[in-house]
Amino acid sequence: MNLEDLADITEAVAAAAESRRHCVRVCMAASCQSCGSGEVLEGLQTQAKQNADDGVCIKPVGCMGLCSAGPLVSVDSDQPATALLYQDVTVDDTEDLYHSLGDQPVERLRCRTDVPFFARQQKVVLENSGIIDPEQIDDYIAAGGYRSLMRAVTEMSREEVLREVKESGLRGRGGGGYPAGLKWATVAMAPEPHKYVICNADEGDPGAFMDRAVLESDPHRVLEGMALAGYAVGAEHAYIYIRAEYPLAVERLKTAIKQATKKGLLGRRICETALSFEVEVRLGAGAFVCGEETALMASIEGRRGQPRPRPPYPAEEGLWKCPTLINNVETLANIPAIVGKGGAWFKSIGTENSTGTKVFALAGRIANSGLIEVPMGIPLREIVHEIGGGIPDGRRFKAVQTGGPSGGCLPEQFLDMPVEYDTLRSAGSIMGSGGMIVMDETSSMVDVARYFMEFCMDESCGKCVPCRAGTVQLYGLLDKIADGEATPSDLELLEELCDVVQATSLCGLGQTAPNPVLSTLRYFRHEYEEKLRPESERMPRMQIVTLDD
Amino acid sequence: MTHPPAATNPAPKVRVVTLKIDDHDVGARETDSILEIAQANGIRIPSLCYLDGLSTWGACRLCMVEIEGFSKPVSACSTTATEGMKITTNSARLKRYRRMILELLFAERNHVCSVCVSNGHCELQDLAAECGMDHVRVPYRNATYTIDSSHDLFRVDHNRCVVCTRCVRVCDEIEGAHTWDVMGRGVNCQVITDLNQPWGDSQSCTSCGKCVQVCPTGALVKKGTAAGEMEKHDDFVPYLAQMRKRQ
C-alpha cells in the first residue's frame, strides 16, 4: 500500500458516493444503539430493498454527539452541522423518512442544527465521527486517513515526527496533562532495542464516554496515531488496553486492526517499508485502577492489576521492563491530524498552555447531554448554558463536576473560567479525561461526595493502607453526615482523613479520591454543616416514668 | 587450595552520593533506597510491609518521608537516593500521617492485643507504641474474618492480617512455592493459599514456615501457642536472600 493506492481508494469511494442520489447516515454508536438505532437502520435498509432503489445509501456511522436526542439520522451531508438531522427516530418513522428523501423533510422528527450545540464545536478528534462507517477502512482512507502515517514512514524522519508532536504542545488527554512530546522524546531516547506503545482505553469514570465514542466511531484514527507513535519512539509492538464493558468498541477495534493489517498499514512491513508495527487488543476485567499506568502494565503482563511506586516511570522501565509509551485514546487520536497538518496548526487552537481541542462527555442535569469537542480555553458557561442548552425544567445551575471521581465540583462563580488544565487545577478540580456532570439545585453535594467516595472505595485495589482502609472510613463518615447522624468532630475527622489519604496513597486513585469531598467542602461547606444537627437534638432526653403515671 | 570462582561479570559500577537525613550527613550508593540508607546509619523510619531480603512493596505508607523540593511526601522504601537530597523523617506532619495510618489499620480488622498469641512480639503493636497511637478515632469496622486451622503446624487468622503481603513475597521469592497470594480488592482484600483452598489442603505449600516467621502480626502463627507466646524470627530472611545472591 502506498500513497497512490490511498488516492485510488479515495477516488473509488467518491465515485460510488456520486453515483448515489442520497446518503442516509444512522448513528450506530453505543448510546444510540441502546435506544433502538439498530432497528432504525434495519427499517431503512428494508425500505431501500422494497423500493428497489440503488440510488440511496443507508450507512451505519459513529456518534453524532447529541446522545440525548438519539437515535439520530442525518441525510445528505458529510457534516452533521449542515445536514438534515432527525432525532428520536423509531422504526415506525423509517417509511416516512425514506419517502421524504429529495422532497420535503419530515418536520416532526427534525433536529435543529443551527443551535450552539453544533455551531460552537470545533472538531479535530471527532472530525470523522458520525460521518464515516467505522467498520469500513476505505471510508476512513477516503476521509484522508492513513496519509499521515504513510508520509511519516516514507518521507519524514523519526525526529521530524517528534518535533511536530512537541511543537503542537499536546498534553495527555487521560487526565494528567503531561506534555505528550516530552513523554515521546523520553521513550525515543531510551537505548533499549525493545519498546512498547500502549493505548490506554480503560475509561471507567462515572459519566465519561469520550474514549468509547472515539473507538466506536473512528477506530482507525487511534490505530494510525499508535502507529505514528511507534514510528517516532522506535516501538514495533503495541497494546490497546480496553475495558471488556465496551464490547462494541472492542469489536470495531478488532475489525479495524484486521482491515489495516490486510492492507499492509499495520503488521509487518507497513506501507511498503521495512518497518513493523503490530497491535494487540487486551481486555480489562473491569477494574478502575487498571487505568493507572503501572497497574495497567501489570494487568497486561498477566499479573494482578496493582500499581507500583514510580519512579521508575514507564518511559524508562515499563512493560516487561522495557521503555513504554502510554497514551490515552484521545491523545493518540490527535496525532494523525498533528502530523498531517503540523504542530503549529494544532498550537493555533486553544490556549497557550493547553493547546488543541478537548472532547467532553456532558451528562447529568443538562438539556443536551452527549459528546462535544471544543477548543481549550472555552468558558465553562458556554459549555453548560450554550452548547449544553442549560438546565432543564426551569431549575438553576448549581455545580459542574469535572474530572470524574478524581476531580472536583465547581460552583457558579467559576462559570466564566476558561477550561484549561491549569485553571481547573487552581480551582480545586482537574480536567481529567473529560467527563462533565452537571448538577442542579436539587442535588445534595454531600450525596455527590458520598457517591464518588463509594466508587473509589469499591475500586481501590487494596494494596496500600490509606486507600484501602481510608476510603472505607471516608465513605462511612460521609454516610453518617448524609444521614444527619454526625457531629462536628466527624467533620474534623473527615478533613484530616482526606489529607492523609491524599498525601500518602500509593497511586492516583487514592491520591485523588478525596478531591470530590475537598472541593464540595471548599465551595458547599454549609451543606455539610446543615447536616450536623445541634447537640441538644442528638441526645434524646431521658424520660422519667413513674408508677403513678 | 581452592579459590572462590572468579566472577564472570564484574559488578556494574555504582556511584556514591552524599545526602542529608534529619541533618545528618550520610553517604550511600545511588541504588540504595532512603530506608536502607537510614537503617545503615542508625536512623529509624517506621515501616511495616518492608522486609530486608524481599522485593519492595511500598504499600504500608508508614515510611513516608519529606524531601526538600518535593511537594508530597514519598515512601522511603521505594525512593532511591540522589546527590544532595535533604530528607526529613520525623516532622509533625509525618507523625500525624503515621498515626492516622496505624489507626486505620487497627480499625480495619480485629487487633485486640490481650488475647493475641503475638502479644509483646508484634510489629504492629510496637509501631503503635512508637508512633504514640494510644487510641483510635475512626470507628472500628467490626468485620468478622475467618480463621484457617487446617494446616498441621500453622494457623492463619485473617482478623489479625494487615495485608502487608510479606508472606506472599517470601513464599514466592525465597521459598519459590507461591502458595500465598491476594484475592479480592479494596477492603475485601485477603491473603489466600492456592486458589483460596484451606491451607491444610494446599498442594504447593512446603510447610517451611517462612511465611509465619515474616508475618509482622499474629495473623500467621505456630499452632499450640498461647497468648504472648508466639515469637517470630524474620532476621533469617535477609541472610537467606544474601546467600542465594552469592550462589
Side-chain angles (χ1 to χ4, degrees):
Chain A
M1 175 97 7
N2 53 35
L3 274 170
E4 279 172 27
D5 297 331
L6 292 181
D8 289 347
I9 291 171
T10 310
E11 264 177 43
V13 173
E18 262 179 39
S19 71
R20 296 192 184 105
R21 284 185 296 115
H22 301 291
C23 182
V24 182
R25 292 179 165 88
V26 183
C27 175
M28 286 292 281
S31 49
C32 275
Q33 273 204 32
S34 69
C35 40
S37 70
E39 289 168 12
V40 173
L41 181 74
E42 269 174 37
L44 284 166
Q45 281 166 340
T46 314
Q47 289 293 331
K49 215 179 269 174
Q50 279 171 359
N51 291 283
D53 189 347
D54 57 358
V56 178
C57 159
I58 315 286
K59 195 170 179 176
V61 295
C63 183
M64 296 186 196
L66 193 57
C67 303
S68 55
L72 290 167
V73 175
S74 84
V75 178
D76 284 343
S77 170
D78 55 7
Q79 290 301 325
T82 52
L84 173 60
L85 198 64
Y86 293 119
Q87 63 177 25
D88 298 317
V89 184
T90 63
V91 67
D92 303 330
D93 300 320
T94 52
E95 198 177 344
D96 290 353
L97 214 155
Y98 189 87
H99 290 293
S100 76
L101 293 173
D103 203 5
Q104 287 296 311
V106 188
E107 282 304 326
R108 68 186 155 86
L109 297 173
R110 271 191 84 165
C111 175
R112 284 179 59 190
T113 52
D114 54 349
V115 290
F117 184 86
F118 294 101
R120 291 281 170 89
Q121 291 195 47
Q122 184 174 358
K123 297 196 171 178
V124 176
V125 170
L126 299 175
E127 62 181 347
N128 298 329
S129 183
I131 295 158
I132 63 162
D133 181 345
E135 293 182 14
Q136 299 294 333
I137 188 170
D138 288 359
D139 249 27
Y140 178 67
I141 292 171
Y146 286 114
R147 296 256 186 335
S148 301
L149 176 65
M150 193 75 83
R151 288 223 179 84
V153 295
T154 55
E155 295 166 16
M156 292 166 84
S157 67
R158 293 171 192 277
E159 290 73 27
E160 280 172 315
V161 177
L162 264 179
R163 208 177 304 143
E164 292 300 338
V165 177
K166 267 191 193 165
E167 202 195 335
S168 73
L170 175 71
R171 293 172 71 171
R173 299 291 195 247
Y178 191 78
L182 195 56
K183 205 187 232 182
W184 285 34
T186 318
V187 181
M189 273 191 294
E192 281 83 347
H194 289 289
K195 297 175 189 178
Y196 290 95
V197 169
I198 297 175
C199 170
N200 182 350
D202 191 70
E203 176 181 60
D205 311 23
F209 46 89
M210 298 78 52
D211 293 349
R212 190 190 73 195
V214 171
L215 290 165
E216 282 172 358
S217 309
D218 201 359
H220 285 287
R221 189 182 191 84
V222 182
L223 293 177
E224 191 182 354
M226 289 175 74
L228 282 163
Y231 176 63
V233 303
E236 297 199 327
H237 295 275
Y239 290 95
I240 298 182
Y241 189 87
I242 180 167
R243 44 181 39 225
E245 289 94 326
Y246 285 179
L248 188 63
V250 173
E251 193 190 312
R252 288 192 179 157
L253 208 45
K254 284 184 175 167
T255 309
I257 292 171
K258 258 187 224 155
Q259 289 172 342
T261 310
K262 208 173 167 189
K263 282 214 183 324
L265 295 160
L266 291 180
R268 291 180 179 217
R269 301 183 52 81
I270 55 170
C271 309
E272 299 177 359
T273 65
L275 299 160
S276 293
F277 191 72
E278 292 181 38
V279 182
E280 263 185 69
V281 174
R282 278 283 196 277
L283 295 191
F288 181 65
V289 73
C290 286
E292 200 278 340
E293 52 189 18
T294 58
L296 187 152
M297 291 188 306
S299 180
I300 291 182
E301 288 173 6
R303 293 183 288 120
R304 191 175 152 85
Q306 280 183 328
R308 60 157 175 80
R310 297 175 307 172
Y313 287 93
E316 194 187 325
E317 198 181 304
L319 202 57
W320 290 297
K321 299 211 181 283
C322 298
T324 304
L325 176 76
I326 299 195
N327 276 142
N328 163 268
V329 172
E330 197 187 328
T331 316
L332 290 165
N334 270 305
I335 300 297
I338 290 172
V339 177
K341 296 179 189 170
W345 161 82
F346 191 82
K347 208 178 166 134
S348 69
I349 310 169
T351 65
E352 199 185 339
N353 291 322
S354 302
T355 57
T357 59
K358 178 78 194 86
V359 181
F360 289 106
L362 276 180
R365 303 276 166 82
I366 191 153
N368 305 328
S369 56
L371 203 66
I372 57 161
E373 184 172 357
V374 287
M376 291 272 194
I378 187 172
L380 256 178
R381 187 183 299 280
E382 240 179 278
I383 295 180
V384 175
H385 286 294
E386 294 180 31
I387 298 173
I391 317 296
D393 307 325
R395 295 213 174 98
R396 281 192 58 202
F397 170 87
K398 183 168 185 180
V400 57
Q401 154 89 18
T402 72
S406 324
C409 297
L410 299 175
E412 197 155 11
Q413 72 206 68
F414 289 101
L415 274 181
D416 291 311
M417 186 181 78
V419 177
E420 284 179 279
Y421 286 100
D422 309 313
T423 48
L424 284 171
R425 198 177 289 272
S426 66
S429 186
I430 56 162
M431 176 82 74
S433 52
M436 268 197 189
I437 303 171
V438 180
M439 289 162 243
D440 70 16
E441 56 197 330
T442 59
S443 311
S444 155
M445 300 317 274
V446 183
D447 284 346
V448 170
R450 179 172 60 170
Y451 169 77
F452 283 109
M453 193 52 70
E454 187 179 10
F455 181 82
C456 290
M457 172 182 78
D458 289 342
E459 294 295 342
S460 165
C461 75
K463 181 175 175 177
C464 76
V465 182
C467 178
R468 181 184 75 223
T471 51
V472 70
Q473 293 289 357
L474 281 170
Y475 174 73
L477 284 166
L478 288 165
D479 202 37
K480 203 171 163 190
I481 295 170
D483 288 348
E485 288 166 3
T487 61
S489 67
D490 287 321
L491 193 58
E492 257 173 53
L493 191 60
L494 181 82
E495 286 185 282
E496 190 181 340
L497 204 49
C498 278
D499 178 30
V500 175
V501 174
Q502 194 175 43
T504 62
S505 286
L506 173 60
C507 83
L509 197 161
Q511 286 163 10
T512 58
N515 283 0
V517 186
L518 291 170
S519 71
T520 47
L521 267 171
R522 189 163 161 188
Y523 301 119
F524 301 95
R525 197 182 179 88
H526 58 276
E527 289 197 24
Y528 284 82
E529 283 165 353
E530 269 167 26
K531 297 268 184 188
L532 307 175
R533 286 186 285 170
E535 207 168 341
S536 56
E537 284 176 39
R538 267 203 331 274
M539 292 282 285
R541 287 194 178 177
M542 206 181 289
Q543 282 185 352
I544 298 167
V545 183
T546 62
L547 286 174
D548 300 335
D549 288 337
Chain B
M1 193 179 156
T2 53
H3 293 281
T8 46
N9 287 322
K13 275 196 175 174
V14 177
R15 281 178 53 193
V16 173
V17 290
T18 53
L19 57 150
K20 248 185 196 323
I21 305 182
D22 292 340
D23 291 328
H24 296 283
D25 286 312
V26 293
R29 285 177 299 231
E30 64 173 359
T31 48
D32 288 345
S33 72
I34 295 171
L35 188 63
E36 284 165 340
I37 302 166
Q39 281 175 349
N41 288 280
I43 301 163
R44 164 86 184 151
I45 302 176
S47 72
L48 189 59
C49 68
Y50 175 83
L51 192 68
D52 190 13
L54 300 183
S55 61
T56 305
W57 193 236
C60 71
R61 318 306 284 170
L62 284 167
C63 68
M64 299 294 274
V65 292
E66 284 167 348
I67 301 174
E68 203 177 275
F70 282 48
S71 57
K72 276 185 171 182
V74 298
S75 51
C77 66
S78 66
T79 310
T80 47
T82 54
E83 181 63 40
M85 247 183 191
K86 282 185 186 158
I87 300 159
T88 310
T89 68
N90 227 355
S91 68
R93 179 185 176 206
L94 291 173
K95 282 182 187 166
R96 206 174 67 232
Y97 289 165
R98 285 185 193 133
R99 206 198 123 118
M100 181 58 98
I101 289 171
L102 285 168
E103 285 179 53
L104 289 172
L105 274 178
F106 272 88
E108 188 183 22
R109 299 197 184 188
N110 179 336
H111 296 284
V112 181
C113 300
S114 57
V115 290
C116 180
V117 291
S118 288
N119 188 11
H121 317 286
C122 170
E123 289 184 41
L124 185 67
Q125 192 180 35
D126 294 346
L127 282 165
E130 181 187 346
C131 299
M133 195 224 81
D134 45 15
H135 68 284
V136 175
R137 289 165 296 167
V138 292
Y140 284 92
R141 288 182 55 243
N142 293 323
T144 313
Y145 290 87
T146 52
I147 298 168
D148 180 0
S149 291
S150 59
H151 196 281
D152 289 341
L153 306 170
F154 313 118
R155 173 180 300 142
V156 53
D157 181 353
H158 292 287
N159 293 288
R160 309 284 200 216
C161 178
V162 289
V163 206
C164 66
T165 71
R166 279 190 191 180
C167 54
V168 178
R169 285 175 285 153
V170 80
C171 186
D172 179 33
E173 294 163 16
I174 306 286
E175 179 61 12
H178 203 137
T179 301
W180 291 100
D181 215 321
V182 182
M183 174 186 86
R185 68 185 184 200
V187 85
N188 299 316
C189 265
Q190 193 173 311
V191 289
I192 50 165
T193 38
D194 285 355
L195 294 170
N196 197 22
Q197 281 143 344
W199 194 0
D201 296 349
S202 169
Q203 298 284 308
S204 60
C205 177
T206 59
S207 302
C208 71
K210 289 189 186 73
C211 52
V212 176
Q213 295 304 330
V214 299
C215 174
T217 68
L220 285 168
V221 293
K222 268 192 216 159
K223 275 185 168 177
T225 41
E229 281 184 359
M230 182 69 215
E231 277 188 64
K232 302 199 175 176
H233 304 283
D234 59 19
D235 44 350
F236 76 105
V237 167
Y239 171 75
L240 270 179
Q242 218 167 28
M243 288 297 122
R244 283 192 188 199
K245 260 189 206 162
R246 280 191 196 167
Q247 276 180 358

